[in-house]
Amino acid sequence: MNIIVCIKQVPGTADVKIDPVDNTLIREDVPNIINPFDLYAIEEGLRLKESFGGKVTVISMGPPQAADALKEALSMGADEAVLLADRAFAGSDSWATAYTLSRAIQVIGAFDIILCGRQAIDGDTGQVGPGLARQLGITQLTYVFKIRKVDPPGKIIMVDRLLEEGHEIVEAVLPALLTVVKDINQPRSPSLADIRRAAKLKIRLMTATDLTGVDRTRLGLDGSPTKVIKIFNPPRREGILDMIRADTAEEAAAQLADKILSEKII
Amino acid sequence: MPLLEIDKTKCVGCGNCVDVCPFGALSLEGDTVVVNEKCTGCGACLEACPFMALRLPESPSPGTGDMKQYSGVWVWIEQFNGQMGNLAIEILGQGRRLADLRHSALTACVLGHHIEPITREAISYGADRVFWVDAPSLAVYRTAPYAAVLINLARLHKPEIFLLGASSRGRDLAGSVATDLYTGLTADCTGLDIDPEKGLLIQTRPAFGGNIMAMIICPGHRPQMATVRHRVFEKPPANLLRQGEVITIAPALTEEQISTRVTNFIPEIDKVNLAYARIIVSGGRGVGGPEGFKPLRELADILGGTIGASRSAVDAGWISYAHQVGQTGRTVRPDLYIACGISGAIQHLAGMKTSKVIVAINKNPDAPIFSVAHYGITGDLFQIVPALTAQFKKRLNK
């Protein structure tokens, strides 16, 4: 079974802090990491390979340093890694990203299952997975928290999807793209030997010229329908705090109960 | 090569752009700024530069042909078991407001099986026109048959704006529809407005877990698509006397053309309807363990409230994910939010700070939760929460 896992390299924390005095972003200098949701996708891909054989290919679009994320995926046990890096890809929104990934996957070759994390912790959109499935014209299964059954010869997969009201069990035709949520598994940590082994593996680099039949006007910033026009701080509330001070917990609770009741919401 | 172009003759090295870059792509080298490979072309730095030294290459986007043909606002009405959800009503309210601003009509797309009452409800909440698609193959939401209907309708009728809920289904559907229409999709919007000059939809959304907000436009493609977060907007009042047009539409796919089949549905057993709870008593790291939620439950029971939790309490395994409030959990807007032992990470605050009355109980007087609270008590929640329960018991005669 051929499994493709799409991963993204993201800043090591979403804790971009805001300086309240001059309204600027304070970024801790943390190293980049694999998007945490994508680790579950890698782990699920490795488990599928262990059950059914085949290989796991990880693919990432990003700047050259995204190779570090691919190395880490290789050390977890992925067989091959592809880095999509080209100035032509820079500035891609979720549409252009899904388009570029779909063209690269067509070049990589036949696959049975594509796995993605539910969303990336920097952009938080969760839209590249559905976009990629549609670009490739394959079955789309989002928010998967359990793979119940895979029947590669019969081309059938059965999964549990997480929805607001509960979960549904879906039977679907392969090939399929799954986006996975964190309840699906516990990602493994590579050993030192794994890391050494992975360091020797080569990452395949792909640029726009490697994508056969690609429409270059649909790549990168120019090919992206959405444009970010402004980035700003979330609105802050004014200092409205009424701090209750009392000698005992009982007294404080009595004062607080009075105040809550005076709001006439109970 | 990064995208950003820096005019070295204009740059004075003031560093304003370095501070605003969310990706850490800019740094100072001597008295000019330099850009590295982390640049995504987001444009956040452009307006921070007082010397107009920064620019992004602008070239005509392939885009949608004649954009003047596109008019009207559409909303997708999510339903489950024949019931329209609150999110759909909230979006109808926003759709109505945007349609009025654009002097155009609001269309509701109602897909499902045995859903005729929803067509009338959609009109009562503001729709001028309803596309009603009723078929057994649409009874339970599935990506392919739903997307096919909406793609066909949008190609034929050319809406200017298309809104969907940022629910599991809405995000699943919107990504598929926007892909075929080759148009922009802004996910999880918390603000929608019309640019008075250009008439463009200005979409505001949180990124980096709510640490920053981004304003996004879709200048050259139509429809302008967005998914909208729940409980960000008020529900509009229903007007049962409103009139509207209901147009019957045939499904786009036959059952044989659909590659998925939903075989079973298992409702959430521990049903937590946090998003629409009026009163939430929420616990964080300070509750110390699963049994630490017991006094919170007693308080919630007296008040008729629901139990919420911070991400750290959920990640520690003390309570299920269904209770999680915050960026990766639920956005809530109750009348009363009592935060017990929650320090108030920005992701948590993003999910609850629009609550009407916020009470914070925390040992640490400097905890960020106090910055959004209306009432605060510094102290041990295991003393204060039971005392508060006792007070309410007495005062509410329970």
PDB file of all heavy atoms in Angstrom, chain A residues 89 99-100 103 208-219:
ATOM      1  N   PHE A  89       6.582  29.023  -5.344  1.00  0.00           N
ATOM      2  CA  PHE A  89       5.532  28.549  -4.430  1.00  0.00           C
ATOM      3  C   PHE A  89       5.275  29.529  -3.283  1.00  0.00           C
ATOM      4  O   PHE A  89       4.290  29.396  -2.554  1.00  0.00           O
ATOM      5  CB  PHE A  89       5.907  27.200  -3.799  1.00  0.00           C
ATOM      6  CG  PHE A  89       6.221  26.104  -4.788  1.00  0.00           C
ATOM      7  CD1 PHE A  89       7.172  25.124  -4.489  1.00  0.00           C
ATOM      8  CD2 PHE A  89       5.565  26.027  -6.013  1.00  0.00           C
ATOM      9  CE1 PHE A  89       7.466  24.104  -5.391  1.00  0.00           C
ATOM     10  CE2 PHE A  89       5.855  25.004  -6.923  1.00  0.00           C
ATOM     11  CZ  PHE A  89       6.814  24.046  -6.608  1.00  0.00           C
ATOM     12  N   TYR A  99      -3.262  22.985  -4.578  1.00  0.00           N
ATOM     13  CA  TYR A  99      -3.018  22.777  -6.014  1.00  0.00           C
ATOM     14  C   TYR A  99      -1.594  22.265  -6.238  1.00  0.00           C
ATOM     15  O   TYR A  99      -1.374  21.281  -6.943  1.00  0.00           O
ATOM     16  CB  TYR A  99      -3.246  24.090  -6.769  1.00  0.00           C
ATOM     17  CG  TYR A  99      -2.916  24.010  -8.236  1.00  0.00           C
ATOM     18  CD1 TYR A  99      -3.743  23.293  -9.103  1.00  0.00           C
ATOM     19  CD2 TYR A  99      -1.781  24.627  -8.751  1.00  0.00           C
ATOM     20  CE1 TYR A  99      -3.438  23.201 -10.457  1.00  0.00           C
ATOM     21  CE2 TYR A  99      -1.470  24.542 -10.104  1.00  0.00           C
ATOM     22  CZ  TYR A  99      -2.295  23.829 -10.953  1.00  0.00           C
ATOM     23  OH  TYR A  99      -1.991  23.735 -12.293  1.00  0.00           O
ATOM     24  N   THR A 100      -0.626  22.920  -5.616  1.00  0.00           N
ATOM     25  CA  THR A 100       0.777  22.544  -5.791  1.00  0.00           C
ATOM     26  C   THR A 100       1.030  21.121  -5.284  1.00  0.00           C
ATOM     27  O   THR A 100       1.672  20.311  -5.955  1.00  0.00           O
ATOM     28  CB  THR A 100       1.686  23.547  -5.044  1.00  0.00           C
ATOM     29  OG1 THR A 100       1.289  24.877  -5.396  1.00  0.00           O
ATOM     30  CG2 THR A 100       3.143  23.348  -5.407  1.00  0.00           C
ATOM     31  N   ARG A 103      -0.316  18.506  -7.701  1.00  0.00           N
ATOM     32  CA  ARG A 103       0.511  18.277  -8.890  1.00  0.00           C
ATOM     33  C   ARG A 103       1.743  17.459  -8.528  1.00  0.00           C
ATOM     34  O   ARG A 103       2.177  16.588  -9.275  1.00  0.00           O
ATOM     35  CB  ARG A 103       0.906  19.613  -9.530  1.00  0.00           C
ATOM     36  CG  ARG A 103      -0.256  20.364 -10.154  1.00  0.00           C
ATOM     37  CD  ARG A 103      -0.951  19.528 -11.239  1.00  0.00           C
ATOM     38  NE  ARG A 103      -2.248  20.079 -11.601  1.00  0.00           N
ATOM     39  CZ  ARG A 103      -3.423  19.601 -11.192  1.00  0.00           C
ATOM     40  NH1 ARG A 103      -3.476  18.542 -10.429  1.00  0.00           N
ATOM     41  NH2 ARG A 103      -4.560  20.156 -11.549  1.00  0.00           N
ATOM     42  N   ALA A 208       9.075  23.933  -9.295  1.00  0.00           N
ATOM     43  CA  ALA A 208       7.939  24.091 -10.206  1.00  0.00           C
ATOM     44  C   ALA A 208       8.186  23.392 -11.541  1.00  0.00           C
ATOM     45  O   ALA A 208       7.250  22.850 -12.146  1.00  0.00           O
ATOM     46  CB  ALA A 208       7.657  25.573 -10.423  1.00  0.00           C
ATOM     47  N   THR A 209       9.445  23.362 -11.991  1.00  0.00           N
ATOM     48  CA  THR A 209       9.717  22.731 -13.289  1.00  0.00           C
ATOM     49  C   THR A 209       9.510  21.220 -13.241  1.00  0.00           C
ATOM     50  O   THR A 209       9.343  20.586 -14.286  1.00  0.00           O
ATOM     51  CB  THR A 209      11.163  23.019 -13.752  1.00  0.00           C
ATOM     52  OG1 THR A 209      12.025  22.847 -12.638  1.00  0.00           O
ATOM     53  CG2 THR A 209      11.310  24.413 -14.317  1.00  0.00           C
ATOM     54  N   ASP A 210       9.558  20.627 -12.038  1.00  0.00           N
ATOM     55  CA  ASP A 210       9.338  19.183 -11.922  1.00  0.00           C
ATOM     56  C   ASP A 210       7.857  18.806 -11.978  1.00  0.00           C
ATOM     57  O   ASP A 210       7.523  17.625 -12.066  1.00  0.00           O
ATOM     58  CB  ASP A 210       9.932  18.668 -10.600  1.00  0.00           C
ATOM     59  CG  ASP A 210      11.428  18.874 -10.540  1.00  0.00           C
ATOM     60  OD1 ASP A 210      12.096  18.533 -11.534  1.00  0.00           O
ATOM     61  OD2 ASP A 210      11.918  19.392  -9.526  1.00  0.00           O
ATOM     62  N   LEU A 211       6.979  19.781 -11.869  1.00  0.00           N
ATOM     63  CA  LEU A 211       5.545  19.482 -11.811  1.00  0.00           C
ATOM     64  C   LEU A 211       4.985  19.491 -13.231  1.00  0.00           C
ATOM     65  O   LEU A 211       4.674  20.537 -13.783  1.00  0.00           O
ATOM     66  CB  LEU A 211       4.811  20.502 -10.934  1.00  0.00           C
ATOM     67  CG  LEU A 211       5.383  20.713  -9.528  1.00  0.00           C
ATOM     68  CD1 LEU A 211       4.556  21.743  -8.765  1.00  0.00           C
ATOM     69  CD2 LEU A 211       5.425  19.398  -8.749  1.00  0.00           C
ATOM     70  N   THR A 212       4.857  18.319 -13.783  1.00  0.00           N
ATOM     71  CA  THR A 212       4.418  18.234 -15.177  1.00  0.00           C
ATOM     72  C   THR A 212       3.002  18.786 -15.337  1.00  0.00           C
ATOM     73  O   THR A 212       2.126  18.491 -14.542  1.00  0.00           O
ATOM     74  CB  THR A 212       4.434  16.769 -15.669  1.00  0.00           C
ATOM     75  OG1 THR A 212       4.592  15.919 -14.546  1.00  0.00           O
ATOM     76  CG2 THR A 212       5.511  16.513 -16.678  1.00  0.00           C
ATOM     77  N   GLY A 213       2.826  19.586 -16.362  1.00  0.00           N
ATOM     78  CA  GLY A 213       1.498  20.094 -16.707  1.00  0.00           C
ATOM     79  C   GLY A 213       0.956  21.125 -15.735  1.00  0.00           C
ATOM     80  O   GLY A 213      -0.239  21.411 -15.735  1.00  0.00           O
ATOM     81  N   VAL A 214       1.830  21.688 -14.886  1.00  0.00           N
ATOM     82  CA  VAL A 214       1.330  22.639 -13.893  1.00  0.00           C
ATOM     83  C   VAL A 214       1.000  23.977 -14.567  1.00  0.00           C
ATOM     84  O   VAL A 214       1.656  24.379 -15.538  1.00  0.00           O
ATOM     85  CB  VAL A 214       2.380  22.821 -12.768  1.00  0.00           C
ATOM     86  CG1 VAL A 214       3.545  23.680 -13.225  1.00  0.00           C
ATOM     87  CG2 VAL A 214       1.739  23.401 -11.520  1.00  0.00           C
ATOM     88  N   ASP A 215      -0.055  24.619 -14.102  1.00  0.00           N
ATOM     89  CA  ASP A 215      -0.412  25.950 -14.570  1.00  0.00           C
ATOM     90  C   ASP A 215       0.294  26.948 -13.651  1.00  0.00           C
ATOM     91  O   ASP A 215      -0.098  27.137 -12.494  1.00  0.00           O
ATOM     92  CB  ASP A 215      -1.934  26.126 -14.504  1.00  0.00           C
ATOM     93  CG  ASP A 215      -2.377  27.521 -14.925  1.00  0.00           C
ATOM     94  OD1 ASP A 215      -1.504  28.398 -15.112  1.00  0.00           O
ATOM     95  OD2 ASP A 215      -3.594  27.724 -15.064  1.00  0.00           O
ATOM     96  N   ARG A 216       1.346  27.568 -14.158  1.00  0.00           N
ATOM     97  CA  ARG A 216       2.177  28.425 -13.306  1.00  0.00           C
ATOM     98  C   ARG A 216       1.436  29.642 -12.771  1.00  0.00           C
ATOM     99  O   ARG A 216       1.831  30.210 -11.750  1.00  0.00           O
ATOM    100  CB  ARG A 216       3.426  28.866 -14.065  1.00  0.00           C
ATOM    101  CG  ARG A 216       4.503  27.781 -14.082  1.00  0.00           C
ATOM    102  CD  ARG A 216       5.748  28.273 -14.818  1.00  0.00           C
ATOM    103  NE  ARG A 216       6.861  27.357 -14.602  1.00  0.00           N
ATOM    104  CZ  ARG A 216       7.796  27.549 -13.684  1.00  0.00           C
ATOM    105  NH1 ARG A 216       7.786  28.609 -12.910  1.00  0.00           N
ATOM    106  NH2 ARG A 216       8.773  26.670 -13.531  1.00  0.00           N
ATOM    107  N   THR A 217       0.371  30.038 -13.450  1.00  0.00           N
ATOM    108  CA  THR A 217      -0.367  31.201 -12.954  1.00  0.00           C
ATOM    109  C   THR A 217      -1.151  30.851 -11.679  1.00  0.00           C
ATOM    110  O   THR A 217      -1.712  31.721 -11.039  1.00  0.00           O
ATOM    111  CB  THR A 217      -1.370  31.734 -13.996  1.00  0.00           C
ATOM    112  OG1 THR A 217      -2.402  30.756 -14.187  1.00  0.00           O
ATOM    113  CG2 THR A 217      -0.695  32.035 -15.312  1.00  0.00           C
ATOM    114  N   ARG A 218      -1.221  29.568 -11.348  1.00  0.00           N
ATOM    115  CA  ARG A 218      -1.961  29.165 -10.154  1.00  0.00           C
ATOM    116  C   ARG A 218      -1.033  28.874  -8.977  1.00  0.00           C
ATOM    117  O   ARG A 218      -1.452  28.276  -7.990  1.00  0.00           O
ATOM    118  CB  ARG A 218      -2.819  27.946 -10.474  1.00  0.00           C
ATOM    119  CG  ARG A 218      -3.842  28.260 -11.541  1.00  0.00           C
ATOM    120  CD  ARG A 218      -4.834  27.155 -11.776  1.00  0.00           C
ATOM    121  NE  ARG A 218      -5.910  27.658 -12.630  1.00  0.00           N
ATOM    122  CZ  ARG A 218      -7.127  27.167 -12.660  1.00  0.00           C
ATOM    123  NH1 ARG A 218      -7.443  26.147 -11.903  1.00  0.00           N
ATOM    124  NH2 ARG A 218      -8.049  27.685 -13.448  1.00  0.00           N
ATOM    125  N   LEU A 219       0.218  29.252  -9.084  1.00  0.00           N
ATOM    126  CA  LEU A 219       1.182  28.969  -8.013  1.00  0.00           C
ATOM    127  C   LEU A 219       1.474  30.225  -7.193  1.00  0.00           C
ATOM    128  O   LEU A 219       1.376  31.346  -7.694  1.00  0.00           O
ATOM    129  CB  LEU A 219       2.497  28.474  -8.613  1.00  0.00           C
ATOM    130  CG  LEU A 219       2.473  27.153  -9.390  1.00  0.00           C
ATOM    131  CD1 LEU A 219       3.857  26.857  -9.957  1.00  0.00           C
ATOM    132  CD2 LEU A 219       2.012  25.992  -8.504  1.00  0.00           C
TER     133      LEU A 219
END
